[in-house]
Amino acid sequence: MVSAFPSRWKIWKNTHRDVHSLPVSGPIVRIAPDEVHILDADFWETLFSKAGRVDKYNWMSNRFGNDTSVLTTAAHDLHRVRRNALNPYFSRQRILGLQDTIRQKLSVFVNQIQENANVGAPITISRGYMAFSEDVIMHYCFGYDYDSLRKSAWTPVLHDAFAAVCIAGNMALQFPTIPKVMNALPQAWVEKLDPLYALIFRMQNDFGRQIRQMKAALPPAKSDRGVDNTNPTVIAELLQSDLPNEQKADRRLQDEVQLIVGAGLSTTGWTLSVGTYYLLSNPRILACLCKELDDAIPTSTTANTADLISNLEWTELERLPYLTAVIKEAVRLSYSTTSRNVRLLPKPVQFKEWTVPARTPISMTVPFLNHDEDIFPQSRSFVPERWLDALKTKNGSSLDKYFVGFGKGTRSCLGSNLAWCELHLGFASLFRLFDFELYETDKTDVEIAHDFFLPFAKLDSKGIRVFVKERQ
Ligand code: HEM
């Protein structure tokens, strides 16, 4: 019974808590009157993959102000309706077809880097990564984007708004009326009272406006398969799909777009940044990657950057073992989500000598697993080799069993194919074409210092800054 668990619950002492102060004693801790947290790498499968029909924790649904998105839908059945409608747009086949858009955005990015290479001043490459992933996902959702890649110093249009959503999220979770009150106020007041919320509401209003405009411009839903291939954007297709009408309501779609664009932008951009930092601070690893890329992408094609990028094929790049191992290690050390991940199972579940009753919120946390030294020895170090040669863990299991970067089970990442494709094309082109050198950047610019659902480094970080030279 839950009441028999060690009674060590505590309400978060503040909403900007430092992750180092989280209670870490296990393997099972009752962290709130009704919730237990489990620290056991092998229980991950039981909770996320094998459980089948799982609900999320309703209490956590509205901290980002989009409680009807797939990520925040608590009930299993409703989640399936919403998720099934999105799955086709993010299948492997669809993402293979999206490569031209990704390559085109990558060309703009590479041209911008080349211009800076000739100037000799440092660039904030992490901003560039956010702009790249933002332009790709916006373009795929709406058929246009804010062209953030061409903005001076890649000043972001959306990245800061999504960072604001995350930062405000802990407060909104504990005090849900705050965002509601803010939302009811005139925008000008919000701008003065809390610039964070002003950014969030501006972004939400903008998405809402775009959805209404697309609805007005589109013909009514088709009666056959429901997909209009002449207009291949996620939102246009969703509007024409056979998703029930109430699921196509303006506000519902606004919630969904906020999630898809936010998830598509922040996570991929952060993983590229973390990977770049670790590559540049490990010359041996960087040399291994460059050697593999040099062999795979012959010199003749690098003479013309446009040719090099247009010849990049995800299906070929994913067969490069070292590049793929670098990406896995970058995903591991960028954690994807840092908050505890909660599930409610329909039946009682056994964990060691404890029986957890059905529908008890049970949570696990990605960074704890990613730093389990039995699974990932020297877990704080960037070691791509750990993913090579089908290595086994101490207990004889395949290491891939513990790769939880994109989640597991019914609630796993919708955009993992897109993320893999962007990561393969992004790392391959940049590290084939350029030599980078870190500028006033250290581990504190990538190490997790704050848990705002997504990992945040120290708040005064200036990002990953580099000098860049074209490779000979
Ligand atoms: C390196 C990049 C990425 C990582 C590490 C990542 C990781 C994750 C993880 C761990 C989850 C599960 C969260 C949970 O259980 O609460 C998730 C969910 C999700 N991700 Fe990603 N993601 C990445 C890129 C993307 C991209 C490019 C998209 C764009 C479509 C995306 C869209 C989503 C969505 C919509 C969900 C919610 C799925 C659902 O609840 O059904 N992600 N992601």
Side-chain angles (χ1 to χ4, degrees):
M1 297 291 292
V2 166
S3 54
F5 292 143
S7 177
R8 268 203 58 207
W9 75 275
K10 61 178 175 184
I11 293 174
W12 293 333
K13 63 178 184 302
N14 62 57
T15 50
H16 285 61
R17 69 211 160 102
D18 182 323
V19 290
H20 303 297
S21 68
L22 279 172
V24 189
S25 62
I28 182 162
V29 174
R30 183 178 169 186
I31 58 165
D34 64 342
E35 181 183 341
V36 292
H37 184 278
I38 290 180
L39 203 60
D40 180 302
D42 286 306
F43 195 72
W44 203 275
E45 274 197 337
T46 310
L47 188 60
F48 298 102
S49 323
K50 292 186 181 157
R53 298 173 55 88
V54 290
D55 289 348
K56 280 195 169 178
Y57 196 6
N58 207 18
W59 172 66
M60 291 188 153
S61 288
N62 206 20
R63 62 180 143 170
F64 308 125
N66 65 338
D67 62 339
T68 67
S69 75
V70 275
L71 181 85
T72 49
T73 303
H76 170 89
D77 289 340
L78 184 54
H79 174 263
R80 286 333 292 164
V81 172
R82 292 171 172 170
R83 173 73 188 240
N84 287 343
L86 291 172
N87 281 338
Y89 316 130
F90 292 93
S91 69
R92 184 175 164 86
Q93 210 50 37
R94 282 297 290 262
I95 300 306
L96 284 170
L98 191 68
Q99 281 186 102
D100 276 344
T101 302
I102 300 172
R103 290 189 200 104
Q104 191 240 325
K105 297 297 173 197
L106 206 48
S107 294
V108 178
F109 189 20
V110 162
N111 287 342
Q112 302 280 325
I113 297 176
Q114 270 169 335
E115 280 176 22
N116 282 286
N118 301 330
V119 173
I123 55 173
T124 309
I125 193 84
S126 46
R127 285 288 196 190
Y129 288 142
M130 292 295 177
F132 164 60
S133 44
E134 175 191 315
D135 282 359
V136 170
I137 192 67
M138 276 295 291
H139 201 89
Y140 190 35
C141 281
F142 290 108
Y144 80 92
D145 55 77
Y146 296 121
D147 211 3
S148 291
L149 277 168
R150 288 185 218 266
K151 298 248 155 52
S152 165
W154 300 306
T155 309
V157 173
L158 287 179
H159 173 225
D160 285 354
F162 280 113
V165 169
C166 291
I167 292 170
N170 286 348
M171 183 72 86
L173 186 59
Q174 303 299 330
F175 306 102
T177 42
I178 293 180
K180 287 189 188 132
V181 171
M182 290 294 220
N183 213 348
L185 297 174
Q187 180 78 9
W189 291 21
V190 182
E191 306 260 357
K192 290 213 168 58
L193 280 171
D194 191 335
L196 273 191
Y197 275 104
L199 275 179
I200 297 169
F201 294 152
R202 203 176 307 140
M203 176 191 71
Q204 290 174 335
N205 292 338
D206 197 25
F207 284 151
R209 193 168 44 247
Q210 290 174 43
I211 287 163
R212 287 191 296 280
Q213 277 170 4
M214 283 185 99
K215 269 189 175 175
L218 278 175
K222 292 168 50 161
S223 53
D224 49 25
R225 255 297 289 117
V227 171
D228 175 5
N229 286 325
T230 58
N231 198 355
T233 69
V234 174
I235 301 308
E237 290 191 22
L238 207 53
L239 283 170
Q240 294 192 299
S241 73
D242 45 18
L243 188 66
N245 273 342
E246 71 275 12
Q247 297 301 327
K248 294 183 190 169
D250 293 357
R251 179 60 210 220
R252 223 294 289 168
L253 289 184
Q254 180 190 309
D255 285 3
E256 202 72 289
V257 169
Q258 177 182 325
L259 166 70
I260 295 173
V261 175
L265 182 173
S266 311
T267 47
T268 312
W270 180 241
T271 304
L272 285 163
S273 303
V274 169
T276 296
Y277 168 77
Y278 282 111
L279 283 168
L280 300 186
S281 45
N282 288 284
R284 183 195 62 78
I285 294 171
L286 179 62
C288 289
L289 176 66
C290 290
K291 162 111 186 41
E292 186 179 75
L293 293 176
D294 290 354
D295 292 347
I297 307 171
T299 339
S300 57
T301 58
T302 60
N304 180 333
T305 310
D307 282 354
L308 181 138
I309 292 174
S310 63
N311 283 321
L312 291 179
E313 272 299 332
W314 177 32
T315 47
E316 288 168 18
L317 295 173
E318 68 183 352
R319 285 202 290 267
L320 298 181
Y322 206 79
L323 172 63
T324 301
V326 162
I327 293 174
K328 280 188 175 173
E329 195 64 345
V331 171
R332 184 181 72 84
L333 284 177
S334 51
Y335 305 112
S336 39
T337 56
T338 43
S339 289
R340 62 196 202 278
N341 210 333
V342 191
R343 296 290 184 273
L344 279 67
L345 307 192
K347 294 187 186 143
V349 63
Q350 195 65 30
F351 174 68
K352 298 188 189 282
E353 65 267 39
W354 294 280
T355 305
V356 185
R359 301 205 57 76
T360 304
I362 308 174
S363 52
M364 297 190 74
T365 308
V366 174
F368 293 159
L369 172 60
N370 288 2
H371 290 300
D372 184 328
E373 288 285 323
D374 283 341
I375 312 287
F376 302 108
Q378 295 180 296
S379 71
R380 308 249 158 218
S381 304
F382 188 80
V383 187
E385 285 74 12
R386 70 171 92 243
W387 298 105
L388 296 171
D389 307 326
L391 283 181
K392 302 269 186 223
T393 59
K394 258 190 199 170
N395 64 14
S397 300
S398 154
L399 195 59
D400 276 324
K401 179 180 159 192
Y402 302 100
F403 181 74
V404 297
F406 294 100
K408 299 255 184 189
T410 53
R411 308 298 186 111
S412 64
C413 179
L414 170 74
S416 59
N417 287 312
L418 174 57
W420 276 112
C421 184
E422 288 177 306
L423 292 168
H424 273 106
L425 268 64
F427 277 123
S429 53
L430 264 57
F431 285 91
R432 180 65 187 87
L433 287 167
F434 301 107
D435 280 326
F436 298 104
E437 188 192 325
L438 289 172
Y439 167 74
E440 293 188 0
T441 300
D442 63 32
K443 211 170 177 183
T444 61
D445 293 299
V446 290
E447 260 181 350
I448 162 182
H450 300 276
D451 164 21
F452 294 128
F453 182 75
L454 296 183
F456 277 63
K458 62 183 181 185
L459 294 181
D460 58 352
S461 169
K462 294 191 169 61
I464 311 302
R465 290 176 294 164
V466 294
F467 286 115
V468 51
K469 279 192 281 184
E470 293 192 51
R471 283 186 68 199
Q472 299 308 311

